[in-house]
Amino acid sequence: MSFYVGAVNPYATYEIDIHSWEYGNDGESEVGFELARMGLQDRVQLFACLDSLKEGIYLRIYKDGLVEREERFSSSLPDGSFTLRAQLYGNSLGAFIEEYGHTSFLGYVPIKKNFSEVIDFRSVEEAAEATFNVISNSCGRVEVVGARSYLSTGIGQADIRLVSYEDLSPYMDQNRLWFTFSCRGIDINQSVQGVLSLDPSVFDIRFEGVIVFDHGDGLLRNDYASHLFYDRREKLWKAYACDFGGTAYTELRSGTGLVTAVSSKDPRRGFSVMKARRVETDHVLGHNEDPCIFYDSQNKKWRLLTSVLTSKSITSGIFESEEWDGKFTRVAPPISLNSTGTSIQKIGGKYYAFMGGHGNLRVHAYPSLELLGELDLDLQPHWPKAAGRVWASLVPLPEGYPYRYVLLTMDRPNFPGITGANWSYGGLYFYGAD
């Protein structure tokens, strides 16, 4: 049996509250939820099996009404009430269970084993035909006390970058600073672009929205690690992002690793879609991540700082162009130091570059990228050991705040219970300085 709850958003979180149950005498008792195409021929289910022999949490995928795949994520169930939860990543998911306020990881669908051939919730057309349902096989007795879906910040928050104007000055709204960040999943392709805000006089983080990217192929893609800015001259929201969600008719990362995006609507709040396109290899050299772009009025050029991937490491380099999305030429060659979370900011009337790497956050000269030293933090992220390869979103503030500058960054410890290489990390840290 399927009981309709609501519609399906490709990057939402879904959950069901199971209060109590009794084993049935007439077969295996199952209860959970599904994300399904109307007609229920194609569906993805996450459910608890309450049979004493097959007890556990299962993933089951139907195609054309037949079971195509079934996987056991857990071989036991909590003793009391619990919440069964799935974080949807468009065409894959992560599964979790919550008991007494504690969330545990169960398992996930790797991106290479995604269910897009059955149903791809990134597709605007397929998502419009999909429903979120509570399911039960009507065996035994189960008490369900709630079911819901919502946008969430993921299992970690990372890749934090200031939302700015075209000159990198902070975009402030209602005395709040705004930042993009990655709502972390598990695999590197399973995060989505989030937006948060805070009052820089206090650490009152608010989750404000999610941004997805439309490349014109009918899919809403989860590109992220973006620099979102408002170009006052064109009265247009613009962004550079990494193509972790793929590009038009192309899965996984390719080419320069970058995309550009625009929106006439303010994309900071709610669920927003930006029109996007891939940055071609004749526009930016190499394969890149972590873009930071601004208009350098002194040089009358757009300057782009990225983390540049090489065969052995991730470094950083600066490029320039007449147009914000034009063909860029190299200003400073990639440096030798490992570099991530590359960003530029104006401090005391002068621009500097900031980045993470193998060690503490660093400061570099602009535009040469000559190393100047490390940021002096009284307590490093993930103290006493430096987090390494984190982002330095440093912001100058106007008069009237308790600090002249603030810094929002993150650490890299992964979500408990997830083993192997994964990208589930991200705890937030907030600093102030005069």
Side-chain angles (χ1 to χ4, degrees):
M1 298 177 63
S2 293
F3 302 89
Y4 173 80
V5 178
V8 174
N9 181 296
Y11 301 106
T13 296
Y14 301 84
E15 62 186 27
I16 179 174
D17 302 323
I18 300 172
H19 182 65
S20 63
W21 68 89
E22 296 176 4
Y23 294 133
N25 297 320
D26 50 354
E28 300 166 3
S29 181
E30 297 178 359
V31 63
F33 58 85
E34 67 184 5
L35 307 174
R37 199 190 308 274
M38 283 190 231
L40 305 183
Q41 294 298 294
D42 303 322
R43 42 188 171 156
V44 178
Q45 297 182 335
L46 185 67
F47 62 92
C49 182
L50 309 176
D51 179 81
S52 58
L53 297 178
K54 292 185 64 177
E55 183 179 272
I57 303 298
Y58 290 78
L59 171 79
R60 182 184 292 152
I61 299 175
Y62 286 85
K63 182 178 182 180
D64 297 326
L66 301 175
V67 176
E68 182 183 72
R69 182 161 123 214
E70 184 171 290
E71 182 177 353
R72 193 178 196 177
F73 281 157
S74 172
S75 59
S76 62
L77 294 174
D79 295 329
S81 302
F82 66 93
T83 296
L84 183 61
R85 177 179 300 129
Q87 184 181 352
L88 183 59
Y89 311 128
N91 60 355
S92 60
L93 60 79
F96 306 85
I97 199 166
E98 180 181 322
E99 184 184 21
Y100 304 122
H102 176 75
T103 298
S104 300
F105 169 70
L106 297 176
Y108 75 111
V109 177
I111 197 69
K112 292 182 180 179
K113 296 182 179 180
N114 70 75
F115 41 75
S116 59
E117 291 187 4
V118 175
I119 186 168
D120 192 341
F121 299 107
R122 300 174 303 169
S123 166
V124 175
E125 181 178 342
E126 294 190 37
E129 298 176 347
T131 58
F132 165 42
N133 311 313
V134 171
I135 59 170
S136 172
N137 66 353
S138 300
C139 295
R141 179 181 179 276
V142 178
E143 183 179 2
V144 175
V145 296
R148 67 200 62 84
S149 64
Y150 51 90
L151 296 176
S152 79
T153 60
I155 54 176
Q157 298 79 49
D159 310 333
I160 301 160
R161 187 179 297 286
L162 176 71
V163 176
S164 70
Y165 289 107
E166 75 286 342
D167 63 353
L168 290 179
S169 59
Y171 188 100
M172 296 196 74
D173 181 9
Q174 299 178 345
N175 294 321
R176 300 184 70 80
L177 293 173
W178 296 73
F179 299 84
T180 54
F181 73 100
S182 300
C183 303
R184 280 304 196 188
I186 300 165
D187 268 353
I188 194 169
N189 303 99
Q190 293 177 330
S191 296
V192 68
Q193 185 61 75
V195 182
L196 63 82
S197 73
L198 62 82
D199 182 327
S201 66
V202 290
F203 192 23
D204 64 339
I205 296 287
R206 289 183 193 168
F207 177 42
E208 299 282 1
V210 165
I211 301 172
V212 295
F213 297 86
D214 176 8
H215 289 260
D217 61 352
L219 304 183
L220 298 181
R221 296 183 179 271
N222 56 319
D223 303 321
Y224 62 91
S226 67
H227 179 191
L228 176 67
F229 66 97
Y230 184 68
D231 192 334
R232 291 169 289 192
R233 300 174 305 172
E234 295 188 37
K235 295 182 172 54
L236 193 66
W237 286 93
K238 300 178 178 179
Y240 263 76
C242 300
D243 64 347
F244 289 113
T247 53
Y249 306 103
T250 303
E251 296 297 338
L252 305 179
R253 307 203 68 193
S254 62
T256 63
L258 302 174
V259 304
T260 57
V262 296
S263 174
S264 56
K265 170 193 174 292
D266 184 345
R268 291 174 299 138
R269 296 180 175 91
F271 188 79
S272 300
V273 180
M274 297 189 75
K275 295 290 185 181
R277 66 177 179 85
R278 183 174 61 183
V279 177
E280 301 298 336
T281 53
D282 62 346
H283 278 54
V284 178
L285 293 173
H287 191 73
N288 302 267
E289 292 183 352
D290 308 349
C292 176
I293 187 169
F294 79 109
Y295 184 72
D296 187 331
S297 57
Q298 182 175 350
N299 295 284
K300 294 183 170 38
K301 296 285 182 79
W302 288 90
R303 290 278 173 85
L304 175 67
L305 172 65
T306 71
S307 295
V308 182
L309 281 72
T310 69
S311 60
K312 297 181 179 179
S313 183
I314 304 177
T315 63
S316 61
I318 292 182
F319 310 85
E320 69 177 13
S321 174
E322 299 285 347
E323 304 293 335
W324 83 279
D325 57 352
K327 292 186 176 182
F328 283 80
T329 57
R330 184 168 281 163
V331 175
I335 61 177
S336 60
L337 293 172
N338 186 278
S339 308
T340 57
T342 46
S343 63
I344 299 174
Q345 189 50 265
K346 197 173 190 177
I347 306 296
K350 188 175 181 179
Y351 287 105
Y352 296 90
F354 303 91
M355 60 196 73
H358 295 317
N360 297 331
L361 291 166
R362 307 191 308 264
V363 186
H364 293 252
Y366 167 83
S368 69
L369 297 184
E370 176 189 356
L371 177 62
L372 300 179
E374 295 182 349
L375 276 179
D376 184 12
L377 303 178
D378 59 358
L379 187 66
Q380 290 289 334
H382 197 46
W383 181 88
K385 180 182 178 181
R389 297 186 62 191
V390 299
W391 292 43
S393 201
L394 200 153
V395 187
L397 296 176
E399 292 185 3
Y401 287 93
Y403 302 106
R404 181 74 188 277
Y405 304 96
V406 291
L407 169 70
L408 185 63
T409 187
M410 86 278 186
D411 61 23
R412 291 179 65 102
N414 284 296
F415 191 86
I418 301 178
T419 59
N422 66 83
W423 288 263
S424 65
Y425 56 80
L428 301 180
Y429 296 75
F430 188 55
Y431 300 85
D434 295 325

